[in-house]
Amino acid sequence: VKATSDMTLWSLDRVSFRRLLISNLVSKRQRFESFLDSVIILSSMDKYERSVVADCLIEDTAKDGNAIVKQGDSGELADKFYIIVEGECRATITKDGKEAEVKRIKTGEYFGEIALMQSVPRKATVYAVGDVRLLALDSKAFNRMLGPVESIIKRNMEQYKSYEQDN
């Protein structure tokens, strides 16, 4: 590395870097694990399974009115499962050119599982209501980690059919 102007360079030895990295990962895992304990869908998982899920989660945010997922999205646009950490979202379905709200999703609840489990385009658009903090799990991690709760998720997906019929 060659500097092209005067600068101040900071360095960090390998041991200190690893210590900081591990400390940060442990802190993140503890925060996520304590939150995941309160997510009903994950209550059947044991502590180890939740810690593995916690390691795979990605923090995300959405501003008021932003669409987090959009009806019809597929592929890379539909490769995440979301859990709401803080805030509220509203799910809408557009049918015959008319958008109708079908559900409010609150802290500790989730969305995005249908596209991942059935490899189909997104069934609804989900908007942030106020600022929202989310945890996301990509499709590979979702399929690998959430096996123990798959039957519960499938059972809950059955109620979504009524949302489509109502509109």
Side-chain angles (χ1 to χ4, degrees), residues 103-123:
K103 184 175 184 187
R104 289 282 172 144
I105 311 163
K106 300 179 183 341
T107 299
E109 296 180 333
Y110 60 91
F111 60 93
E113 74 285 5
I114 296 173
L116 299 184
M117 292 181 76
Q118 297 179 349
S119 297
V120 297
R122 297 283 188 190
K123 298 283 188 183

Side-chain angles (χ1 to χ4, degrees), residues 12-27:
L12 192 59
D13 66 274
R14 183 185 311 247
V15 173
S16 298
F17 175 76
R18 287 185 52 79
R19 234 183 248 136
L20 285 169
L21 185 64
I22 290 170
S23 173
N24 187 36
L25 289 173
V26 168
S27 173

Side-chain angles (χ1 to χ4, degrees), residues 9-60:
L9 177 66
W10 294 81
S11 69
L12 192 59
D13 66 274
R14 183 185 311 247
V15 173
S16 298
F17 175 76
R18 287 185 52 79
R19 234 183 248 136
L20 285 169
L21 185 64
I22 290 170
S23 173
N24 187 36
L25 289 173
V26 168
S27 173
K28 173 187 160 196
R29 177 188 280 175
Q30 289 171 341
R31 274 186 302 120
F32 289 174
E33 279 180 352
S34 68
F35 173 73
L36 293 176
D37 282 342
S38 70
V39 176
I40 293 170
I41 191 73
L42 303 178
S43 63
S44 65
M45 297 177 101
D46 64 33
K47 183 171 177 52
Y48 172 76
E49 291 168 326
R50 277 194 300 273
S51 73
V52 172
V53 170
D55 288 343
C56 296
L57 290 168
I58 301 161
E59 292 180 274
D60 201 357

Side-chain angles (χ1 to χ4, degrees), residues 96-148:
D96 299 326
K98 295 180 185 173
E99 185 177 56
E101 184 175 314
V102 294
K103 184 175 184 187
R104 289 282 172 144
I105 311 163
K106 300 179 183 341
T107 299
E109 296 180 333
Y110 60 91
F111 60 93
E113 74 285 5
I114 296 173
L116 299 184
M117 292 181 76
Q118 297 179 349
S119 297
V120 297
R122 297 283 188 190
K123 298 283 188 183
T125 299
V126 177
Y127 296 99
V129 177
D131 291 345
V132 177
R133 285 186 35 226
L134 306 151
L135 295 176
L137 197 59
D138 70 33
S139 59
K140 288 178 186 170
F142 177 85
N143 292 322
R144 190 174 64 244
M145 302 294 150
L146 294 183

